[in-house]
Amino acid sequence: MGLARGILQRSHDRDNADNHPSYQPEQHNNLNQEDLNRSKSSQNDEEEPSSKYDLIKEEEEEEEEIYLVKQQRGYLAILFSITQVIILIAMMIECKIAPMQINPMVGPYPDALSYWGGKNAYFILNEEEWWRLITPIFLHAGIFHLMGNVSVQLDTGAFFEREWGSFVWLIIYLSSALGGSVLSTIVIPNTVGVGSSGAVCGLFGGKLAEALCRCCESTKTQQAKISRNVLKKHTCGSILSVIVIGLFSFVPYVDWAAHLGGLLGGLSVGLMIFACRIKTLFFRLVWFLLGAFITVVGFSVSITYMIEEKKDEVAAELADVCGYYMQHFENYECNCMLDRHQE
């Protein structure tokens, strides 16, 4: 813009010279009207390129405001969301929609949540159905529950995947799901838990880990400055989202312990992943070792404690979820767990 301002300034000086006779050379007094017209036309010709230059320069500056990401779409976020929608529809078709007094989330009867793979501590610890530590992320208590999680997953979650890449996103997502289910089994073992919100909280934990690892990085280049601004924005957004999710963690059939476990799992695994991107060797080692220590100790201690200490605390009623809910709700229908209920 320096050249453009110089051209405009010279044009402005000439205009001042025309408007203030004291600055005009004497020979200009003898100019006829034709000469004056030619002079003004020449000034207009000089001003026009400057305006064009300003426009081009502004367009170039706007084009520089580009934040580079690893991929164009959040493919896994979209795939997981579609899968979760299909599964909820199938659950509601097979197991029917429960009345609002039973399931205020507008979804299937609660026994369907266990039958389709929800977190049921009895089956995890007594029947060794370990896959139930991961499958709850594909299930939701109802339409409202699904809409809340999928909207965040397709917006913020998909953007994180575009930033990090699908592989890193998947590692953090699944690690968070595992951490959420383990903590939920420890803290509230006598409930059936479902939902991808634990894994989504883990994505926010991963973003917080990225912010910690990148807090001292250089911002000398324009792209580095843009990246830092985007990081600040999404870090604040992640903190706010965690608070909001925490406020909604105590509605029926939503597992607050899974939210906390997912957040901690995503944070610890994220420290290891994003530490590898730090350029300074010392800080890279510090953050990586811290993340590795928290991850290894946290998961190993939690899983060991869950297996050895919580098995006897699990209510036997969870073996027959239909029977449990039939005792608490009148006209309860068991449409999915008929085989287990009959046994």
Side-chain angles (χ1 to χ4, degrees):
M1 296 296 291
L3 177 58
R5 283 195 293 266
I7 295 174
L8 291 173
Q9 183 63 43
R10 289 195 295 271
S11 299
H12 181 69
D13 292 343
R14 283 192 293 270
D15 291 340
N16 287 337
D18 291 337
N19 296 329
H20 299 83
S22 60
Y23 291 99
Q24 295 179 358
E26 292 183 0
Q27 58 268 29
H28 286 186
N29 294 331
N30 298 324
L31 292 176
N32 55 29
Q33 185 64 36
E34 183 178 354
D35 293 331
L36 290 174
N37 292 336
R38 282 198 299 269
S39 176
K40 293 180 179 179
S41 176
S42 175
Q43 292 176 11
N44 292 334
D45 291 339
E46 290 180 1
E47 291 176 357
E48 185 176 357
S50 67
S51 300
K52 292 180 178 178
Y53 184 88
D54 287 343
L55 179 60
I56 295 172
K57 189 64 178 178
E58 289 174 359
E59 291 177 352
E60 290 177 352
E61 289 178 352
E62 290 178 359
E63 292 176 355
E64 291 175 356
E65 296 292 326
I66 297 175
Y67 179 53
L68 301 178
V69 295
K70 289 186 176 295
Q71 57 193 54
Q72 187 176 5
R73 297 283 186 272
Y75 302 106
L76 291 180
I78 296 173
L79 179 61
F80 272 87
S81 299
I82 294 175
T83 303
Q84 290 158 358
V85 171
I86 293 174
I87 290 176
L88 179 61
I89 294 174
M91 290 171 61
M92 294 171 69
I93 293 175
E94 180 183 4
C95 304
K96 299 184 180 180
I97 301 176
M100 290 292 290
Q101 64 268 24
I102 296 178
N103 186 352
M105 288 292 184
V106 187
Y109 283 85
D111 62 281
L113 306 179
S114 177
Y115 178 75
W116 278 72
K119 185 226 77 181
N120 186 322
Y122 181 87
F123 295 124
I124 292 173
L125 300 178
N126 291 279
E127 303 293 336
E128 297 184 353
E129 296 180 358
W130 306 112
W131 45 269
R132 287 180 179 270
L133 296 173
I134 296 295
T135 52
I137 63 174
F138 296 100
L139 309 175
H140 289 83
I143 295 176
F144 294 149
H145 189 199
L146 176 72
M147 290 176 59
N149 286 340
V150 167
S151 61
V152 177
Q153 197 166 265
L154 289 176
D155 183 18
T156 308
F159 183 81
F160 290 171
E161 184 182 353
R162 294 174 62 198
E163 283 186 304
W164 302 340
S166 295
F167 181 70
V168 170
W169 187 92
L170 182 62
I171 291 176
I172 295 178
Y173 191 82
L174 294 181
S175 300
S176 304
L178 177 61
S181 294
V182 170
L183 185 61
S184 175
T185 303
I186 293 174
V187 178
I188 45 177
N190 295 321
T191 60
V192 176
V194 295
S196 63
S197 49
V200 172
C201 283
L203 296 177
F204 293 134
K207 175 56 68 172
L208 297 178
E210 182 186 11
L212 290 174
C213 292
R214 294 178 53 190
C215 62
C216 297
E217 71 178 9
S218 173
T219 56
K220 294 181 179 179
T221 65
Q222 180 68 14
Q223 182 58 213
K225 292 179 181 178
I226 296 173
S227 180
R228 173 61 65 85
N229 291 334
V230 173
L231 179 63
K232 289 180 180 179
K233 175 183 176 182
H234 283 279
T235 300
C236 295
S238 297
I239 295 174
L240 179 61
S241 298
V242 169
I243 295 174
V244 173
I245 291 174
L247 295 177
F248 285 92
S249 293
F250 300 95
V251 299
Y253 313 122
V254 178
D255 198 338
W256 68 267
H259 294 171
L260 179 59
L263 177 68
L264 297 176
L267 178 63
S268 62
V269 173
L271 286 176
M272 290 193 300
I273 293 175
F274 296 112
C276 297
R277 301 182 181 182
I278 299 176
K279 295 182 179 180
T280 306
L281 179 60
F282 174 76
F283 290 108
R284 186 190 311 167
L285 290 174
V286 169
W287 285 114
F288 180 84
L289 292 176
L290 177 61
F293 176 80
I294 297 175
T295 301
V296 173
V297 174
F299 275 96
S300 60
V301 171
S302 298
I303 293 175
T304 301
Y305 181 81
M306 177 186 71
I307 295 173
E308 295 181 354
E309 302 295 334
K310 287 296 176 177
K311 187 174 182 178
D312 296 334
E313 297 183 16
V314 178
E317 290 84 353
L318 287 176
D320 181 10
V321 180
C322 276
Y324 172 79
Y325 284 108
M326 289 179 69
Q327 295 175 3
H328 292 80
F329 297 101
E330 294 183 1
N331 301 322
Y332 187 89
E333 298 181 13
C334 292
N335 299 304
C336 285
M337 298 189 67
L338 294 178
D339 294 339
R340 291 185 185 272
H341 179 60
Q342 291 173 357
E343 291 176 359

